[in-house]
Amino acid sequence: MTNLHRSLVLGCSALALASCGADEIVSPGTGGDIIINPPATPAPTPAPTPAPTSGTVTAAAGCPTISDPVGLTDSGTISGPTGEYRVCTLPAVFAASSTLPYIEGLLYRINGRVDVGTDGGPVATGADTEVELTIEPGAILFSSSAGWLNVNRGNTIQANGTAERPIIFTSRDNVQGLNAANASGQWGGVVLSGRAPVTDCIAPGATPGTTACERQVEGAAQPALFGGATTNDSSGSLTFVQIRYSGFVLSGDNELQSLTTGGVGSGTTLNNIMSYNSSDDGVEFFGGVMNVSNLIVVGAEDDSLDTDTGVKANMQNVIAIQRPGFGDTIIEADSSNGLEEDTPRQNVKISNATFIANSGVGDQAIRIRGFADYTIVNSVLIDQSGNTPCLRVDNPETLNRAANAGIDEAGPVVFNSFVLDCATDFRSGSGGVTAADVQTRFNAGSNNNAGFTNTLSMTFINGANENGVAVFDPTSLGAFFTLPTNIGAVYPGNDTWFQGWTCNSATVTFDSAVSDCTSLPIY
């Protein structure tokens, strides 16, 4: 039988983006070609002997039936080093709650923008579509440049993998085995749009943090809005998830991250998430109220963790590692844009992080600005590049302003049990803040050490020096946090949480038992 091939060219037009002051969430831009074998047609007689496929996976016979009325489209097969897979293309909009099961030899394709439900607005009403997309452990979803997944307000996702079988969002090139160590930016990413408060409103005169204050995912053919006033809103759950090779550029600095949250509420579960080789940020949180544990960001080409527009986030057990010569900052907190006094004011608290800077820019590893409130405790920051200062704080208000509940001000930036191993530990910031000012604030915390010599092994695992630092009790920061026995993300008694569900790369090896990020796992 002669194989029939077709080429689908995916794309979206670059739209002019109106600045709202803060960084925007944007859609991916023009697409690339994707070549997929369509379903087989009747074979001539006699049929030639088919060429053997590489790898060990054999394509599933067909696509499963799901509850959505449009259903899945059988788009033929796609082949790569790990074998041949049935391709089942998702509907453009999930209009009914549906489950994507794990089936051996089957991949799900995100073709352009895929919405979970339709946007229900900033307030829950009886008109909410309440669609829930469930993705089973081990399922793999892929896309090319035009693809991204958006969970709209009033709808949820349940993407809960396991340590043995994570859920993977990745690119077509990854499936086909075309990626080298520095591949990135091959599709859009995952966006969660919720009803929790945001600032930097798109509507003139809207009061920040209210139902009148919304923001939008720019560049979409149809608006994708987020924001509201429901702090405990739920967008569902992401656990044991990898998001690889995302961040396709729309234009200039406009692109999606691996994971973008907009106004996501505290009812959302975000645990055991790995971002790998995003061409923009690893994760970016726009407003909302959230708790995040066991977060890994590897190889982001802009910021590893970007927080903005009034987000209130707690994070514990965080590993962020830059690829040598790539990336800007490990942390970029908020924007200096004339809207610094908007409330809710950003307040991010991090305990037990290990940050490995290797910046291609070299300005600073951590930059805190925009009058944001920020706390880092029980953490390690080292610079492997040899030329990137550890810590920068912009504006005296960010660095030193006293707590004031009336303006939602939590007080000065806070560092406790935080150690720095950089050739230059502090640098000056904008607004007249000097390196000495930042050092003074750093020294005001307990058990901090700017002259630290790291003894990390395998890039991120504590050694004797890290385990010798006195611990700050983070439970004083909020009920989310647990009391660790050591600083850093990985230490005795807390040294297996990253195993099984991650992938390895030239940047860092997490677990000899898992596949390389350039390959798909085979179960």
Side-chain angles (χ1 to χ4, degrees), residues 155-324:
N155 305 276
T156 54
I157 186 172
Q158 296 295 333
N160 297 310
T162 65
E164 296 76 24
R165 292 193 175 189
I167 292 165
I168 299 174
F169 295 88
T170 191
S171 68
R172 177 206 61 198
D173 284 3
N174 194 194
V175 174
Q176 295 180 314
L178 302 177
N179 286 340
N182 291 325
S184 68
Q186 296 174 342
W187 67 291
V190 178
V191 178
L192 304 183
S193 299
R195 287 171 163 151
V198 301
T199 63
D200 298 40
C201 321
I202 57 174
T207 301
T210 69
T211 56
C213 185
E214 299 174 284
R215 292 179 59 78
Q216 76 176 45
V217 181
E218 297 287 353
Q222 298 294 325
L225 299 172
F226 61 90
T230 307
T231 58
N232 65 346
D233 186 49
S234 175
S235 296
S237 179
L238 292 179
T239 62
F240 295 103
V241 168
Q242 295 178 27
I243 307 175
R244 305 178 181 180
Y245 304 109
S246 64
F248 191 81
V249 177
L250 173 62
S251 63
D253 294 329
N254 299 312
E255 55 193 301
L256 284 171
Q257 292 67 234
S258 288
L259 174 63
T260 305
T261 68
V264 165
S266 61
T268 307
T269 299
L270 299 170
N271 297 334
N272 298 87
I273 297 171
M274 179 180 182
S275 163
Y276 178 71
N277 276 22
S278 169
S279 65
D280 194 51
D281 302 325
V283 296
E284 184 159 15
F285 302 145
F286 289 87
V289 180
M290 65 189 69
N291 298 316
V292 184
S293 62
N294 298 352
L295 173 65
I296 296 175
V297 177
V298 175
E301 293 179 8
D302 191 4
D303 311 309
S304 299
L305 310 175
D306 196 337
T307 53
D308 215 332
T309 62
V311 64
K312 295 189 182 297
N314 300 315
M315 294 182 249
Q316 189 161 18
N317 295 339
V318 178
I319 298 172
I321 303 173
Q322 291 180 314
R323 268 183 290 152

Side-chain angles (χ1 to χ4, degrees), residues 32-84:
D33 294 341
I34 178 168
I35 300 174
I36 295 177
N37 301 323
T41 54
T45 304
T49 301
T53 58
S54 61
T56 60
V57 175
T58 300
C63 297
T65 299
I66 63 173
S67 299
D68 181 84
V70 173
L72 301 170
T73 301
D74 189 333
S75 299
T77 63
I78 187 171
S79 298
T82 51
E84 185 179 22

